[in-house]
Amino acid sequence: MALFRCEEMALYQLFLQSEAAYNCVGEMGEIGLVQFRDMNPDVNAFQRKFVNEVRRCEEMERKLRFIEKEVKKEAHINIPNNVPDLKQVPAAREMNELDNQLEKLENELRELLSNQEQLQKNFLELTELKQVLLRTSIFFQEADSTRFAAAARDDREHEEGEALLDVEGGASGGVAGGGTNKLGVVAGVIKRELLGAFERVLWRVCRGNVFLKHADIEEPLTDPTTGDSLLKCVFIVFFQGEQLGNRVKKICEGFRATLYPCPEQTAERREMLKGVEARIADLQVVLDQTLSHRTRVLESAAANLPLWFVKVRKIKSIYHTLNLFQVSQKYLQVQCWIPITDIPKIQAALDKGTSDAGSSVPSVLSQVPTKEQPPTFNRTNKFTEGFQTIIDAYGVSSYREMNPMPFTVITFPFLFAVMFGDCGHGLIMALFAGLLIWKEKDIIAAKSKNEIFMMFFGGRYLIFLMGVFSIYTGILYNDLFSKSMNIFGSQWAIPQDVAKTLAGYSDNTDTVELDPKDSFKDKAPYPFGLDPIWQVADNKLDFLNSFKMKLSVILGVMHMLFGVVLSLLNHTYFRKPLNVIAEFIPQVLFLGGLFGYLVFMIIYKWFAFDYTNSASAPQLLITFTDMFMLSAPDDELYSGQYTVQVIILLVGVACVPWMLFVKPTVLYMRHRNPAAVKGQRSNLPHQCLAVEMGQLMDNSLPLLTLAVFLKLRNNRVNRFCCFTAIRPAGG
């Protein structure tokens, strides 16, 4: 009966030795059948016993995320998708070893990252300096040619041209017309998108007393901090006077332009360029070696990364669970809910954990009598997991209530198919789900992190059944990709007189009405499903909408009535006759009397009328409306219909106050007279302890030990215990 109801749960008290607590909790965690209760609800989360271990695990998770982030930066390094299935519980000492290993790896990676960033920064500066030296040489050559071309201008323009363009001989010490005024030069690199604004600000602040030349750097540069591509350009600014030079430098600083030295003489620039190129070559060798070493470290870390994640998360889960225990000097105590059928598995796990820890004192697991409602645990497998997820999405049933999941295995995909109803699309769904089922072992081993795909994979059996039922209903609706199939041949035929009439029509849009008395072959229906001739009929939608609506009403009422019947099983199981009288009976009368009567009329009309007398058939919608209006039907479906409908309506109206007021009134009376309720509940503790005593006697445990144990826990329960211990076996 575990399939139709949740597992029977019992509250147990667990005593663990301090040395074996970690291993025992780890073994129980591998089974996953225990729900622990928090024994320290009033203790702050930061004041619990194992909070330091949990923090260390969180710190290790942070280190692992940092390592994973660095690995993902390298496109050629792949993290294995097949997460190892670590069945063995990580030893407690592995936490220190793993922490030290991750600490060492993180420090090494951070040092490599810092060195790489510094090297890339130096490489960027040298590359920019090289570009400045190359571009400024071109600027100076252009300045020389411009100086000779400007000799034909008037005297003032000639003097200004000589002062601004005689750069080679006087960039720092050139003299215009034998004067003493010197030109200053500022060269550097700026982002390409800031060049326009930079040029405008220079012109406005310096009032046009500067000369700016620039050239783009064709190859994109790399930002050493972010790794993004940078588009920059080289610029050189000529100015006159120290005050103007300070303004230019401040503007460059505001636009975050990088300034570089620019020698005056050509020979000095060439010598400096050779030195820069040599340094770039040496730096490139060091940078390649650093990247190669970093790649080797990351490849080694990527191979172990999934295993480290699993270990750290398991260790963290164990210590997080241990924080729920009451901790003393020698043992740890906790209460937990366990399925009764899995007690041997839990005991075996405790024994294994105690043995692995090397402890000589076994763990103690004892059942605790309680009146609390246990949690609901529905055991599932790979087939029923998807259906149970749908049920839990609407609400988890109470303890030991009927679990509708077994019925949903059929009803959910079937009702979907009634709505979907296309055998072509259903075949595609079934093939897709069948492929997932066929490859399920490989997909599970791959441990995909794609949430959307894993959602489909989790419901693979549900999708498969939806596809199979859709194929069935699609054949029933005679629908294949919205096209009709003529498998058995239509049962409709055109009579000869109608055929002659059609032959005289000149317009192909003209239609004729076929009478079933003359056009229906052998008076027999289509062998299976819908006759294909309805696809070309003008009244196709009228017929199909009516048919599918009536079919939906029948299936919907049956589905709701089935749910009400399941509630009866719950009422009888929990021995609640009040719910049967005040809920189930009026619900069945109301639902079956009103909507069940509608279903009866639909089916009765199908059998009572055919093409010979269908013209006199009453409209069910009008009939059902007249029923609530207490109006006599114009065309009776059967004799005595009006009397039956009045009785059904009166019963339905009476069920409304029956459902609303009977149960609250009875509960209120019980609340006013608690003595009767107390008398009914007086046997409950005795029955619970009697069951416990029977189990203890079967296990041949001393009754005195039980009495002392219960007395230490609760003196009030001890009276029942002593009474039970001295009762005769048949008393």
Side-chain angles (χ1 to χ4, degrees):
M1 289 298 292
L3 181 64
F4 297 97
R5 297 187 186 274
C6 68
E7 295 286 338
E8 292 189 24
M9 307 288 289
L11 183 63
Y12 281 79
Q13 193 153 10
L14 178 62
F15 295 89
L16 300 176
Q17 290 294 316
S18 301
E19 298 82 4
Y22 177 90
N23 296 83
C24 291
V25 172
E27 293 296 335
M28 287 189 293
E30 293 294 336
I31 300 175
L33 295 173
V34 181
Q35 178 178 335
F36 294 94
R37 301 176 64 181
D38 190 0
M39 304 302 291
N40 310 295
D42 300 328
V43 180
N44 191 293
F46 301 99
Q47 298 177 348
R48 303 205 175 193
K49 178 68 175 178
F50 301 97
V51 65
N52 293 329
E53 285 77 3
V54 175
R55 286 178 176 174
R56 286 185 62 186
C57 292
E58 292 176 349
E59 181 66 16
M60 286 191 289
E61 284 184 326
R62 184 198 59 79
K63 297 174 184 177
L64 287 173
R65 288 193 298 269
F66 167 75
I67 297 172
E68 184 182 24
K69 178 183 176 182
E70 294 300 319
V71 170
K72 289 182 177 179
K73 288 181 180 179
E74 305 294 333
H76 61 281
I77 302 178
N78 297 322
I79 301 176
N81 291 326
N82 51 342
V83 180
D85 193 5
L86 188 63
K87 293 294 184 182
Q88 187 177 4
V89 180
R93 63 178 180 275
E94 291 187 31
M95 181 178 179
N96 297 327
E97 299 174 359
L98 186 58
D99 191 10
N100 295 333
Q101 187 176 2
L102 293 178
E103 181 72 22
K104 180 180 178 182
L105 183 58
E106 183 193 20
N107 293 335
E108 184 177 4
L109 284 177
R110 290 192 180 278
E111 184 178 357
L112 287 173
L113 186 62
S114 177
N115 294 338
Q116 178 185 348
E117 184 177 345
Q118 186 63 37
L119 290 173
Q120 289 178 342
K121 183 178 180 181
N122 295 338
F123 185 81
L124 177 64
E125 292 176 352
L126 291 175
T127 304
E128 291 178 348
L129 178 57
K130 177 183 175 181
Q131 294 294 331
V132 168
L133 293 175
L134 291 175
R135 302 297 176 181
T136 51
S137 297
I138 298 175
F139 294 156
F140 290 145
Q141 293 175 4
E142 293 176 354
D144 290 338
S145 61
T146 305
R147 181 188 59 182
F148 293 108
R153 297 180 183 178
D154 55 59
D155 295 339
R156 182 179 178 183
E157 293 177 349
H158 177 72
E159 293 176 358
E160 292 177 356
E162 288 291 329
L164 290 175
L165 299 177
D166 192 7
V167 180
E168 181 62 37
S172 299
V175 180
T180 58
N181 293 330
K182 298 181 180 180
L183 284 180
V185 177
V186 172
V189 177
I190 192 172
K191 291 183 179 180
R192 196 176 297 178
E193 61 268 17
L194 300 178
L195 180 62
F198 176 67
E199 188 173 2
R200 288 192 298 270
V201 172
L202 271 177
W203 180 263
R204 292 173 181 175
V205 173
C206 300
R207 299 183 181 182
N209 295 319
V210 295
F211 183 74
L212 173 67
K213 294 285 288 183
H214 62 84
D216 294 340
I217 301 176
E218 290 80 3
E219 298 180 358
L221 305 176
T222 304
D223 191 337
T225 304
T226 61
D228 298 333
S229 296
L230 299 176
L231 298 177
K232 292 189 174 184
C233 62
V234 176
F235 69 90
I236 182 169
V237 182
F238 302 96
F239 58 88
Q240 190 175 25
E242 182 179 356
Q243 185 177 4
L244 197 59
N246 293 333
R247 291 183 183 179
V248 171
K249 292 179 181 179
K250 287 182 179 180
I251 294 172
C252 294
E253 182 181 356
F255 280 88
R256 296 185 179 180
T258 307
L259 303 181
Y260 293 98
C262 182
E264 302 176 2
Q265 304 299 326
T266 304
E268 294 180 3
R269 288 197 302 271
R270 291 177 180 175
E271 187 67 25
M272 187 175 183
L273 182 61
K274 291 181 181 179
V276 169
E277 290 178 345
R279 291 176 60 188
I280 289 177
D282 296 339
L283 193 60
Q284 184 66 50
V285 174
V286 177
L287 189 59
D288 291 341
Q289 293 178 353
T290 303
L291 291 175
S292 177
H293 178 61
R294 181 174 180 270
T295 301
R296 289 194 299 269
V297 173
L298 291 178
E299 287 177 349
S300 176
N304 299 320
L305 204 57
L307 179 61
W308 289 342
F309 266 114
V310 172
K311 285 187 175 181
V312 171
R313 287 167 181 168
K314 284 193 174 184
I315 295 173
K316 181 181 177 181
S317 300
I318 292 173
Y319 281 114
H320 179 72
T321 304
L322 288 175
N323 276 332
L324 304 178
F325 284 62
Q326 281 186 350
V327 182
S328 62
Q329 295 182 353
K330 296 183 179 180
Y331 65 89
L332 285 80
Q333 173 189 356
V334 74
Q335 291 182 351
C336 53
W337 294 101
I338 303 176
I340 294 178
T341 56
D342 295 319
I343 295 300
K345 294 182 181 179
I346 303 301
Q347 192 63 56
L350 292 174
D351 295 340
K352 185 177 184 302
T354 304
S355 176
D356 293 342
S359 177
S360 59
V361 180
S363 303
V364 178
L365 184 65
S366 58
Q367 188 171 354
V368 179
T370 181
K371 297 180 182 179
E372 296 183 25
Q373 182 175 350
T376 301
F377 173 60
N378 294 309
R379 201 183 301 271
T380 59
N381 52 38
K382 63 180 183 180
F383 178 77
T384 60
E385 183 177 4
F387 298 94
Q388 189 64 55
T389 302
I390 295 176
I391 298 298
D392 294 342
Y394 288 95
V396 180
S397 58
S398 299
Y399 178 69
R400 297 300 290 171
E401 279 188 348
M402 286 292 296
N403 184 15
M405 182 271 297
F407 313 105
T408 309
V409 172
I410 300 299
T411 59
F412 186 89
F414 178 71
L415 292 178
F416 170 84
V418 171
M419 177 270 304
F420 197 65
D422 190 299
C423 56
H425 294 97
L427 179 63
I428 295 176
M429 292 179 59
L431 291 177
F432 171 71
L435 180 63
L436 294 180
I437 295 172
W438 182 35
K439 296 290 185 179
E440 65 179 10
K441 292 184 179 179
D442 298 334
I443 296 175
I444 293 174
K447 302 291 184 180
S448 175
K449 296 182 180 180
N450 190 322
E451 295 182 3
I452 302 299
F453 174 76
M454 293 307 295
M455 184 185 302
F456 282 105
F457 179 72
R460 57 193 181 278
Y461 291 100
L462 172 62
I463 298 175
F464 180 76
L465 289 180
M466 289 163 60
V468 171
F469 279 106
S470 295
I471 295 174
Y472 168 76
T473 54
I475 298 175
L476 190 66
Y477 296 158
N478 203 348
D479 205 354
L480 174 65
F481 295 114
S482 300
K483 297 294 183 181
S484 178
M485 301 177 293
N486 192 359
I487 301 176
F488 304 103
S490 176
Q491 294 298 103
W492 290 78
I494 301 177
Q496 294 182 357
D497 55 344
V498 178
K500 293 178 180 179
T501 305
L502 288 175
Y505 286 164
S506 60
D507 191 355
N508 294 331
T509 60
D510 292 336
T511 59
V512 295
E513 183 176 347
L514 298 180
D515 191 346
K517 292 185 294 184
D518 303 324
S519 305
F520 212 53
K521 293 180 182 178
D522 303 327
K523 306 297 186 292
Y526 192 69
F528 185 82
L530 199 65
D531 197 298
I533 200 172
W534 285 106
Q535 285 288 341
V536 297
D538 285 350
N539 58 342
K540 168 189 173 182
L541 290 180
D542 296 336
F543 171 75
L544 290 182
N545 288 346
S546 175
F547 168 72
K548 292 182 179 180
M549 181 60 70
K550 292 175 181 177
L551 185 63
S552 300
V553 170
I554 294 174
L555 294 176
V557 173
M558 290 175 58
H559 199 212
M560 290 188 293
L561 191 60
F562 180 71
V564 176
V565 173
L566 289 184
S567 68
L568 175 64
L569 299 179
N570 287 329
H571 300 330
T572 55
Y573 179 83
F574 292 108
R575 298 179 182 179
K576 295 181 178 179
L578 177 60
N579 290 352
V580 176
I581 298 173
E583 292 182 7
F584 172 74
I585 294 178
Q587 287 174 356
V588 170
L589 292 177
F590 185 86
L591 180 62
L594 297 180
F595 298 100
Y597 177 68
L598 177 60
V599 172
F600 163 76
M601 288 194 296
I602 293 174
I603 299 176
Y604 183 85
K605 183 179 177 180
W606 282 346
F607 284 95
F609 296 90
D610 56 10
Y611 60 85
T612 60
N613 58 352
S614 59
S616 61
Q619 294 290 332
L620 295 184
L621 182 59
I622 297 176
T623 302
F624 200 59
T625 305
D626 291 340
M627 173 181 170
F628 287 93
M629 300 298 294
L630 294 177
S631 301
D634 297 334
D635 299 323
E636 285 194 349
L637 194 64
Y638 55 91
S639 60
Q641 178 182 355
Y642 178 72
T643 305
V644 173
Q645 291 182 170
V646 171
I647 296 174
I648 291 175
L649 184 60
L650 293 177
V651 172
V653 172
C655 289
V656 175
W658 190 353
M659 288 185 290
L660 293 179
F661 299 112
V662 173
K663 184 176 179 179
T665 302
V666 174
L667 293 178
Y668 176 74
M669 297 301 295
R670 288 181 179 178
H671 179 72
R672 293 290 301 271
N673 187 16
V677 180
K678 184 177 180 180
Q680 295 176 1
R681 295 181 179 178
S682 60
N683 294 328
L684 182 58
H686 171 74
Q687 293 172 357
C688 295
L689 291 175
V691 174
E692 288 299 314
M693 185 58 63
Q695 294 178 355
L696 291 173
M697 293 182 68
D698 292 339
N699 296 329
S700 301
L701 293 177
L703 298 183
L704 181 60
T705 304
L706 174 68
V708 173
F709 173 72
L710 291 178
K711 184 175 181 180
L712 291 175
R713 295 192 67 253
N714 194 328
N715 293 329
R716 181 178 167 189
V717 179
N718 180 60
R719 294 194 296 272
F720 293 103
C721 175
C722 296
F723 176 74
T724 307
I726 62 176
R727 284 187 68 179

